[in-house]
Amino acid sequence: MLTFDRVEVRLGDFELVADLGVERGARVAVIGPSGAGKSTLLQAVAGFIDLTSGQIEWRRQRIDGLAPGVRPVSVVFQDQNLFPHLTAFQNVALGVDPRLRLSEVQRANVERALDRVGLGGLGERKPAHLSGGQQGRVGLARVLLRRQPILLLDEPFSALGPALKVEMLDLVSEVATETGATVLMVTHDPDDARRFAPQTVLVANGVAHPPQNTTDLLRNPPAALRTYLG
Amino acid sequence: MSRTALPGVAAATLVAALVAATLVAVALRAEAAAQFGPADWAAIRFTVLQAVLSAVLSVGLAIPVARALARRRFPGRRLLITLLGAPFVLPVIVAILGLLAVFGQNGLVNAALAGIGLPGIRIYGLTGVVLAHVFFNLPLAVRLILQGWVGIPAERFRLAASLGFGPSDVARLLERPMLREVVPGALLVVFLLCTTSFAVALTLGGGPRATTIELAIYQAFRFDFDLGRAALLGLAQVALTATAALVALRSAVPAAFGAGLGAPVARWDARTPLLRVQDTILVALAAAFLLTPLLLVVTRGAAGIVTLPASVWLAAGRSVAVALGSTALMLILALSIAAATLRLGRTPARLIEASGYLAVAVSPMVLGTGLFLLLFPVAGPADLALPVTMLVNAVMSLPFALRALVPALAEIERSYGRLASSLDMHGQARLRHLWLPRLRRPLGFAAGLAAALSMGDLGVVALFADPEHATLPLKLYDLMGAYRSDAAAAAAVLLLALSLGAFWIFDRGGRIDADL
């Protein structure tokens, strides 16, 4: 269970409170008006924002306060998921060893992860020589390899066209199944939520609400969400 | 304090301590000395006078040239703008040799004047010092002001054209307001650079009427071995440069490098034949003024390189070693300081960065005098010559490197910092796999600048070195003094090639294959 225990984040005028739990292995969409704090919620888990008060626990172990790199978390950002000066292979290998010193076995694992996402033989290419979809796949190969129990996606693949985005979300689904990860995904598209996440956290007016059934929530949205969805 | 900040704090402390220790050494020694004599006051007055004249002339001439470059397109425009950056990495002594070939006693200009029966010009004294400073700073001023011009949005000129503005309306409503912003900064930069002029004054000035403070320090040190007077002059120099630097910092001095100086703006108001001719003549004159001296040096000296004596080659070897050493030292200092500015809070980060800029406020001769006072008890001046030159050169080029690296590193962290942190890349891993590869361009540029500046530096080395420890610029100065003009011309070509080559190799190395 991923627990937000009376979490409060205050940044100037902005405020977000969260007091909720996410079941292990759940897939949760995070939805709400822009500026409400969807990304803030994810960044607090990833370790990029300090909590003002409260704590975040994973399986009863406190994780807020840990450095981002040692939290049990993989992050897929909106963009800049790859280092442009490194090859696809190196970008994935960073998930195994940040110093890029890999054993033979580890190298083979990287190759296998690349194969798994359909990029076999493209490991030596740099991101500039890969299509947008292929770049997304490199990022997911790294997620696959790191096998972190929590996967955070912040409006992923929003630069891709609709068809490609659906394809990538299906791949995220497969990767999450294979690694057994608990997934939180920020999205502004209710279709993404329906397709990907049985549960949804609504973030509005400075509050992150506990997960609800996605279908019910979208069929019967509360006022704040209704204005946003239009 | 995070571990990444430690080397930067150490580097900044080292630079600050170096500057502070030399200043204290100089101040203690100066207190024991006598008051300023008439010659010292003359040096102070001359320093200010030549710096003011150089700034006013450089910037005044730069304005019409920049305007011409801003509104005309012609073949070679980009090349010319690139060349405008070259005087910065040009060894001063080489340029002086070139200027002598054009404006000297037996130079082109005097030959032409004599041909039509007019009296010749004399390059030595105030005229020569200012002429050389304009040679170095006119291009810099053109680049600074050109930035202002290309910074005016193209839409404004389109609007002006649609409203039927003539050239004078455009000047009044668009160009003069821009110049009011840009010109004071440019004047200050040139003034500041000219206040610490040494090599130019050494070769073209001298005598009671044309001695800068830096030159007076050198003379007190080298000829009279009057350390008290050298120290007193050093304090005057610091007071002058530090004041100018403070004023410059407060008035947001524009950056001379980077920023696109790309395509000219379409100007409907400037399409009259008269303005066209005027701009063409201006650009041609500026190009001739900058290129003729260098072309003369190259044509006169190139053939002589093969017959250069071994002592010149040895000096060249020492110069290369000093340049590489000071470049490496500068890179370590600059990278550590830049890294620390990321990890520390706002105020300490500013302090750290500011200490890297301290070199702007002290002059090489003051640092040299101070280091001599500090180290004299433990080592002889000749043994110190090369290490001290290396250190002083590194500290003097540090501000340029920080100016390039600090914003670049901040941008890298903005774009990739979170990704790197989420992958637990810290320390060595972050340095090797994120910072160094992505900093290649600014690192190459900064290293090129440092190597070229150090290679061509005729400053602190003159305080200490004897013939056995001479660098190439010093050797070249000796050859000029001994009237061995063929050997001097050849040595100048060698020095020019080494300086520009060093800049080119590093700068190129940063660009090739850089994935952006």
Side-chain angles (χ1 to χ4, degrees), chain B residues 3 29 32-33 43 48 99 112 186 202 223 228 239 259 285 291 330 332 373 435 456 489:
Chain B
R3 273 169 45 209
R29 188 69 194 219
V48 175
L99 288 170
L202 176 71
F223 301 150
L285 275 179
L291 293 175
M330 179 285 293
I332 293 170
L373 291 170
W435 288 355

Side-chain angles (χ1 to χ4, degrees), chain A residues 47-230:
Chain A
F48 299 126
I49 288 183
D50 291 333
L51 305 188
T52 311
S53 65
Q55 49 191 46
I56 299 176
E57 289 170 5
W58 170 246
R59 303 182 69 186
R60 307 222 172 145
Q61 299 274 327
R62 213 173 147 173
I63 60 165
D64 58 288
L66 295 178
V70 298
R71 295 191 186 202
V73 168
S74 278
V75 193
V76 176
F77 298 93
Q78 196 169 356
D79 48 20
Q80 314 278 40
N81 282 297
L82 304 180
F83 295 109
H85 53 277
L86 299 179
T87 63
F89 181 93
Q90 288 173 313
N91 266 294
V92 176
L94 280 175
V96 185
D97 179 4
R99 290 164 306 163
L100 286 182
R101 287 184 210 140
L102 271 60
S103 66
E104 276 309 308
V105 179
Q106 286 170 323
R107 296 186 67 85
N109 287 341
V110 173
E111 294 290 1
R112 202 169 318 124
L114 281 168
D115 281 344
R116 169 66 190 83
V117 298
L119 293 178
L122 297 183
E124 287 315 303
R125 291 209 190 166
K126 288 185 176 174
H129 301 284
L130 295 170
S131 71
Q134 287 171 329
Q135 292 178 21
R137 286 167 189 274
V138 176
L140 289 178
R142 188 169 60 212
V143 170
L144 195 60
L145 204 60
R146 293 189 80 209
R147 299 212 159 256
Q148 296 290 354
I150 303 172
L151 174 56
L152 306 173
L153 304 112
D154 191 354
E155 297 196 28
F157 319 118
S158 46
L160 301 181
L164 203 48
K165 190 165 91 172
V166 167
E167 195 183 311
M168 296 308 294
L169 286 181
D170 289 346
L171 187 57
V172 170
S173 245
E174 291 168 34
V175 167
T177 309
E178 281 170 43
T179 57
T182 306
V183 186
L184 285 179
M185 178 173 80
V186 169
T187 177
H188 55 261
D189 184 349
D191 286 339
D192 287 355
R194 275 190 206 99
R195 161 177 290 272
F196 180 81
Q199 289 180 298
T200 295
V201 164
L202 171 65
V203 181
N205 303 324
V207 181
H209 298 276
Q212 307 159 57
N213 181 294
T214 302
T215 324
D216 295 348
L217 181 73
L218 290 176
R219 195 174 292 149
N220 222 339
L225 185 59
R226 204 172 323 142
T227 327
Y228 169 66
L229 292 174

Side-chain angles (χ1 to χ4, degrees), chain B residues 208-302:
Chain B
R209 303 182 55 184
T211 296
T212 57
I213 306 176
E214 288 281 276
L215 182 57
I217 296 175
Y218 165 78
Q219 287 165 347
F221 193 107
R222 191 88 201 194
F223 301 150
D224 311 329
F225 204 66
D226 184 348
L227 290 175
R229 196 164 149 250
L232 194 65
L233 286 162
L235 287 185
Q237 178 72 68
V238 170
L240 180 62
T241 13
T243 313
L246 273 179
V247 176
L249 275 182
R250 292 193 157 249
S251 51
V253 165
F257 300 103
L261 295 174
V265 177
R267 291 283 299 272
W268 292 268
D269 61 292
R271 290 189 173 168
T272 69
L274 185 66
L275 288 181
R276 249 175 237 263
V277 171
Q278 178 199 313
D279 284 352
T280 311
I281 291 174
L282 279 169
V283 170
L285 275 179
F289 175 55
L290 297 173
L291 293 175
T292 318
L294 296 181
L295 287 176
L296 283 180
V297 169
V298 173
T299 49
R300 288 184 186 176

Side-chain angles (χ1 to χ4, degrees), chain B residues 29-45:
Chain B
R29 188 69 194 219
E31 225 178 13
Q35 303 252 304
F36 284 124
D40 306 321
W41 283 114
I44 295 171
R45 270 197 310 274

Side-chain angles (χ1 to χ4, degrees), chain B residues 198 217-219 221-222 364-365 368-369 372 381 459-465:
Chain B
F198 171 71
I217 296 175
Y218 165 78
Q219 287 165 347
F221 193 107
R222 191 88 201 194
M365 285 298 155
T369 309
F372 180 83
V460 76
V461 70
L463 272 188
F464 293 102

Side-chain angles (χ1 to χ4, degrees), chain B residues 428-454:
Chain B
Q428 285 285 316
R430 202 165 181 120
L431 179 71
R432 282 194 48 208
H433 300 307
L434 177 57
W435 288 355
L436 290 183
R438 298 214 65 74
L439 278 175
R440 277 181 59 172
R441 269 162 176 270
L443 271 179
F445 175 74
L449 214 55
L453 286 177
S454 178

